[in-house]
Amino acid sequence: MGKKTTIYDIAKKLDITAATVSRALNNSPKISKKTRDLVLEMANKMNYEQNKLALALKSGKSNNVGVIVPRIDSNFFASVIRGIEENLFAHGYHVIICQTHNNENIEIEIINTLLNAQVDGILMSISNVDIYKKESFNRIFKKQIPLIFFDRKANIEGVSSVTINDFEAGYKATKHLIKQGCKKIVHLSGNTLLDIFNNRFLGYKQALEDEGIEFNEDYVIRIKSTVEDGRKAVKKLLKLKKSPDGIFSSSDYAALGAIQEIKNQGIKIPEDICVVGFANEPFTKFMELSISTVDQSPVEMGKIAANVFLEQVNNTDNAKIEKKVVLTPELLIRKSSLKKPVSN
Amino acid sequence: MGKKTTIYDIAKKLDITAATVSRALNNSPKISKKTRDLVLEMANKMNYEQNKLALALKSGKSNNVGVIVPRIDSNFFASVIRGIEENLFAHGYHVIICQTHNNENIEIEIINTLLNAQVDGILMSISNVDIYKKESFNRIFKKQIPLIFFDRKANIEGVSSVTINDFEAGYKATKHLIKQGCKKIVHLSGNTLLDIFNNRFLGYKQALEDEGIEFNEDYVIRIKSTVEDGRKAVKKLLKLKKSPDGIFSSSDYAALGAIQEIKNQGIKIPEDICVVGFANEPFTKFMELSISTVDQSPVEMGKIAANVFLEQVNNTDNAKIEKKVVLTPELLIRKSSLKKPVSN
DNA sequence: TAGTTTTGTGCAATCGATTACATTATGTAA
DNA sequence: TTACATAATGTAATCGATTGCACAAAACTA
């Protein structure tokens, strides 16, 4: 009843072979116009649709791409995925989404099941720094399918990546705070084993040095990217003798927590303390006290990552391509850090 | 080199047939312990991994599920997808994401390519009200795979859905505004051809009636769910003779635009105008003037939709199951609409 | 010991499409 | 008419795993 029509069904009806039907449908040159027309007409009449699974098995290409992220319900990752999907769908690929929740075991399991599902490539943002030392990770290389990192990358030779210049972002943000007159600048960081956090930190440090401000280890706080942690961190900081007058947070959520706590204590933003976040989450723009932040152009990042995949998957020569795309971050200066007009 | 080991490779090494290897790997009862151990050891040594594509072709089950949404980078849809993915991954399914961008042609194309890719089911939020009248939509039924609507559903007999009670949500929100003393309540609506918007509207209307407030057609504005449209709508409304003292918006974004415009004109919230939005987007909570809104428990919605799929896909009898799950919306009362303490 | 059951393997078809190679049919030139 | 090029179609293998059926060997049974 709900049985699908195959090329064999068409062949039987027309008293020809499946091979001929296949050739007709694929517009092969070695077919008479008459037969082709007959086949196309019959295929149409019988509602024939190609079974991509059979094709996938035969060709070894599933036309599916795996995308691995820590979680999908953050605006940044959702936007990257949006870019990836839009680009790849137009090229006949489907995007399979998987979330690691920053859990190493799940991350490994996901890689394995994606490989078994014969995906044609994997685009991922790592959650675990040592994942690439695992056996399952090597299976990706053995299978010779493209692997592309976006945002959170591991440094592996021969693997392409699309990231933003986190050092520059950290540098710009910090320099902006200094220009606003801040002298005691705190950095709310994350897991510095991850490049993104480490580079933002390094940019921060460099900006201090370039401006002749002494680096103070106590001003660097490693926390999770949550409102709660941002709040707690600031609570402690405000008790310090040399309480800060500027905060550069590697996360918008932590920045928000910081702002809430600061206001709670009756301290004024930006007059007393300037705050800059990171990621341009939608809420940063919408708040009455809009939050300065760094935009990572996530949709574009996704589109580019997809492009890199397409380049590599279509590359027939055996040469390994390593493409490292580094996007330029944009510092968005908003109310939370703007004491004086921006100088150019 | 990067060649994959198949059961044939294992068979050859052990001088047995692929059938035996298959039985050993699948723990079939008709196999000697000795052979099974040998096979397992060899499979392990050769890094054998099952090719799911071959299995999929043979069994007719791809273990992939298609999820169709208007766009993924809104917190609501991203959260629903999160719920779906978490639930289905645990059951061995992969989630293929597709975005329609509210474009009817793309929506149809997506359905077609998902069916050709042999997905085992489709979970979708429709963007186009008449989509189900199209031929491609019927192919889903012909194929007898589960179709589950979430949030934006079409009313088709025999099709399951997971939604929230939008009527109740609209009713509660409006009644709350009335309790706050609002008498001239505007409703920012959407495309009322879609059930979700129509039901919110009906709930709004019913609440007015129950409280003896006359319904005024001029107070119902149909706009897109954007900040810009919310802003524009309010601009016009404030020029009316009977300018509103309450706004129930079917969208958080439109509510935000409304609030911005109201404040812009120096009118006070909630004192002069109360505002309630819809969807509990993260920013509504974070703003200094937090926005009252309706929570739709999206992650739970996704998990339930996945459950309904699992029930149906495992259902062997031919009986058509139609399951309609309706979640209870939660009205979150925040600063934008709270003049007096909430009564119980 | 002959007959019967049990157990473990092999054989071959199947899922649906593609494609190198073989074969037949048609057309053209001498 | 013969010879050969060309065009169109058929045959069968292939992708990798599963599984009904056949069959042989081992294990019981009487």
Side-chain angles (χ1 to χ4, degrees):
Chain A
M1 193 139 296
K3 259 314 182 41
K4 248 211 129 198
T5 356
T6 71
I7 53 171
Y8 293 92
D9 301 327
I10 298 176
K12 200 177 285 174
K13 284 265 187 197
L14 296 174
D15 203 26
I16 54 179
T17 61
T20 307
V21 175
S22 172
R23 280 186 280 253
L25 293 171
N26 289 289
N27 231 330
S28 152
K30 22 175 61 183
I31 189 98
S32 70
K33 186 173 178 343
K34 203 181 71 182
T35 319
R36 177 171 45 218
D37 290 347
L38 270 173
V39 169
L40 291 181
E41 192 190 356
M42 181 60 74
N44 198 42
K45 196 190 296 177
M46 298 176 76
N47 290 314
Y48 170 78
E49 294 287 348
Q50 191 186 46
N51 182 330
K52 297 279 183 193
L53 273 187
L55 192 59
L57 176 59
K58 184 72 169 71
S59 67
K61 319 232 98 234
S62 66
N63 278 296
N64 287 153
V65 172
V67 173
I68 308 175
V69 292
R71 37 177 280 215
I72 176 185
D73 60 340
S74 91
N75 185 267
F76 174 72
F77 287 119
S79 298
V80 176
I81 293 170
R82 173 187 171 149
I84 293 173
E85 199 273 341
E86 280 174 27
N87 194 341
L88 291 190
F89 183 80
H91 287 86
Y93 286 95
H94 281 142
V95 171
I96 294 176
I97 298 294
C98 297
Q99 306 172 88
T100 66
H101 294 282
N102 287 311
N103 178 315
E104 178 177 4
N105 294 327
I106 296 181
E107 190 164 22
I108 291 169
E109 190 189 344
I110 286 173
I111 292 175
N112 279 321
T113 78
L114 284 176
L115 289 173
N116 293 161
Q118 311 296 119
V119 292
D120 295 342
I122 291 181
L123 282 68
M124 76 183 290
S125 224
I126 62 165
S127 5
N128 189 282
V129 279
D130 288 332
I131 175 79
Y132 56 89
K133 292 178 185 157
K134 305 290 176 185
E135 175 55 32
S136 64
F137 209 76
N138 285 315
R139 286 185 54 210
I140 304 178
F141 303 131
K142 288 207 189 103
K143 260 198 120 179
Q144 317 244 55
I145 59 168
L147 168 66
I148 289 110
F149 290 126
F150 58 88
D151 195 50
R152 302 163 168 225
K153 73 184 215 290
N155 285 306
I156 308 179
E157 215 184 325
V159 179
S160 297
S161 63
V162 183
T163 55
I164 66 157
N165 190 330
D166 285 290
F167 178 90
E168 185 184 338
Y171 188 88
K172 275 184 180 170
T174 310
K175 202 142 189 180
H176 159 66
L177 287 172
I178 297 171
K179 285 252 172 74
Q180 293 296 310
C182 303
K183 300 229 148 62
K184 296 166 290 180
I185 302 172
V186 155
H187 178 39
L188 301 182
S189 183
N191 175 2
T192 41
L193 289 175
L194 284 173
D195 272 2
I196 52 166
F197 291 118
N198 192 45
N199 288 334
R200 291 170 200 177
F201 163 68
L202 293 175
Y204 155 82
K205 206 169 164 184
Q206 185 66 47
L208 292 182
E209 190 178 312
D210 286 2
E211 297 289 329
I213 297 181
E214 203 183 350
F215 170 69
N216 179 350
E217 184 66 50
D218 297 340
Y219 278 171
V220 179
I221 321 285
R222 285 176 183 80
I223 56 175
K224 276 182 291 178
S225 302
T226 64
V227 177
E228 195 46 36
D229 273 28
R231 194 192 280 264
K232 279 192 222 157
V234 164
K235 206 164 201 164
K236 281 187 199 155
L237 284 164
L238 293 179
K239 286 181 188 151
L240 290 182
K241 221 185 301 175
K242 289 188 67 173
S243 138
D245 56 10
I247 296 177
F248 165 47
S249 168
S250 266
S251 143
D252 278 335
Y253 286 96
L256 175 63
I259 288 174
Q260 288 177 347
E261 183 60 32
I262 291 169
K263 288 173 110 183
N264 217 28
Q265 303 211 9
I267 300 170
K268 282 195 177 149
I269 301 174
E271 293 79 359
D272 303 327
I273 305 185
C274 290
V275 180
V276 177
F278 212 106
N280 196 17
E281 286 283 330
F283 68 82
T284 58
K285 178 181 172 190
F286 294 146
M287 305 186 61
E288 287 84 344
L289 176 76
S290 55
I291 305 178
S292 299
T293 190
V294 176
D295 186 73
Q296 306 169 279
S297 46
V299 178
E300 196 191 348
M301 185 182 281
K303 284 189 194 289
I304 293 174
N307 275 342
V308 174
F309 161 76
L310 290 169
E311 275 172 29
Q312 302 201 1
V313 84
N314 292 327
N315 175 268
T316 44
D317 19 307
N318 247 4
K320 251 197 182 170
I321 316 170
E322 179 180 335
K323 190 159 185 177
K324 304 270 183 193
V325 180
V326 180
L327 303 176
T328 303
E330 188 187 359
L331 176 64
L332 301 175
I333 298 170
R334 302 203 179 110
K335 292 186 190 164
S336 70
S337 71
L338 193 58
K339 288 196 234 187
K340 350 173 177 174
V342 200
S343 66
N344 29 336
Chain B
M1 190 142 294
K3 256 316 179 42
K4 245 209 134 198
T5 10
T6 70
I7 52 171
Y8 293 91
D9 301 328
I10 299 175
K12 200 176 284 174
K13 284 264 186 199
L14 296 175
D15 203 25
I16 54 180
T17 61
T20 306
V21 174
S22 173
R23 280 186 278 255
L25 293 170
N26 289 290
N27 231 330
S28 152
K30 23 175 62 184
I31 189 102
S32 69
K33 185 174 181 342
K34 204 181 70 182
T35 320
R36 178 174 42 221
D37 290 348
L38 269 172
V39 169
L40 292 181
E41 192 190 357
M42 181 59 75
N44 198 42
K45 196 191 295 177
M46 298 177 76
N47 290 313
Y48 170 78
E49 293 287 349
Q50 191 187 46
N51 182 330
K52 297 279 184 193
L53 273 187
L55 192 58
L57 177 59
K58 184 73 171 70
S59 67
K61 319 233 97 233
S62 66
N63 278 296
N64 288 153
V65 171
V67 174
I68 307 176
V69 292
R71 35 177 282 216
I72 176 183
D73 60 341
S74 91
N75 185 267
F76 174 72
F77 287 118
S79 298
V80 176
I81 293 171
R82 172 186 172 150
I84 293 174
E85 199 273 340
E86 280 174 28
N87 195 339
L88 291 189
F89 183 78
H91 288 86
Y93 285 95
H94 281 142
V95 171
I96 294 177
I97 297 293
C98 297
Q99 305 173 90
T100 66
H101 294 282
N102 287 312
N103 178 315
E104 177 176 6
N105 294 328
I106 296 180
E107 191 165 22
I108 291 170
E109 190 188 345
I110 286 173
I111 292 175
N112 279 320
T113 78
L114 284 176
L115 289 173
N116 293 163
Q118 310 296 120
V119 291
D120 296 341
I122 291 181
L123 282 69
M124 76 183 290
S125 226
I126 62 165
S127 3
N128 189 283
V129 278
D130 288 332
I131 175 77
Y132 57 88
K133 293 180 186 158
K134 304 291 176 187
E135 176 55 33
S136 64
F137 208 77
N138 285 315
R139 285 185 54 210
I140 304 178
F141 304 130
K142 289 208 190 103
K143 262 198 120 181
Q144 316 244 54
I145 59 169
L147 167 67
I148 289 109
F149 290 125
F150 58 88
D151 195 49
R152 303 164 169 223
K153 71 184 216 293
N155 285 308
I156 309 179
E157 216 184 325
V159 179
S160 297
S161 64
V162 183
T163 55
I164 65 157
N165 190 329
D166 285 289
F167 178 90
E168 184 184 339
Y171 188 87
K172 275 184 180 173
T174 309
K175 201 141 187 179
H176 159 66
L177 287 172
I178 298 170
K179 284 252 172 73
Q180 293 296 309
C182 302
K183 299 229 151 61
K184 294 166 289 179
I185 303 172
V186 156
H187 177 39
L188 301 182
S189 183
N191 175 1
T192 40
L193 290 176
L194 285 173
D195 272 2
I196 52 166
F197 292 118
N198 192 45
N199 288 334
R200 290 169 201 177
F201 163 68
L202 293 176
Y204 156 81
K205 205 170 165 184
Q206 185 67 47
L208 292 183
E209 189 177 315
D210 286 1
E211 296 289 329
I213 297 181
E214 202 184 350
F215 169 69
N216 180 350
E217 185 64 51
D218 295 343
Y219 279 169
V220 179
I221 322 283
R222 287 177 181 79
I223 56 174
K224 277 182 291 179
S225 302
T226 64
V227 177
E228 194 47 34
D229 273 28
R231 194 192 281 263
K232 278 192 223 157
V234 165
K235 207 166 202 163
K236 280 187 201 158
L237 284 165
L238 294 180
K239 286 183 190 151
L240 291 182
K241 224 186 297 178
K242 289 186 67 171
S243 134
D245 57 8
I247 297 178
F248 164 47
S249 169
S250 266
S251 143
D252 279 336
Y253 286 97
L256 175 63
I259 288 174
Q260 289 176 347
E261 183 61 32
I262 291 169
K263 288 173 112 182
N264 218 27
Q265 303 210 9
I267 301 171
K268 282 191 176 152
I269 302 175
E271 292 81 358
D272 302 327
I273 304 185
C274 290
V275 180
V276 177
F278 212 107
N280 196 17
E281 286 284 330
F283 68 82
T284 57
K285 178 181 172 187
F286 296 146
M287 305 186 62
E288 287 86 343
L289 176 75
S290 55
I291 305 178
S292 300
T293 189
V294 176
D295 186 72
Q296 305 170 278
S297 46
V299 177
E300 197 191 347
M301 185 182 281
K303 284 189 194 289
I304 293 175
N307 275 342
V308 174
F309 162 76
L310 290 169
E311 275 171 30
Q312 304 202 359
V313 85
N314 293 326
N315 176 266
T316 43
D317 18 306
N318 247 2
K320 252 194 178 172
I321 315 172
E322 179 180 336
K323 192 160 184 174
K324 305 269 182 192
V325 180
V326 180
L327 303 175
T328 302
E330 189 187 0
L331 177 64
L332 302 174
I333 298 170
R334 302 202 180 109
K335 292 185 190 165
S336 70
S337 71
L338 194 59
K339 286 196 231 182
K340 354 174 173 170
V342 200
S343 67
N344 29 337

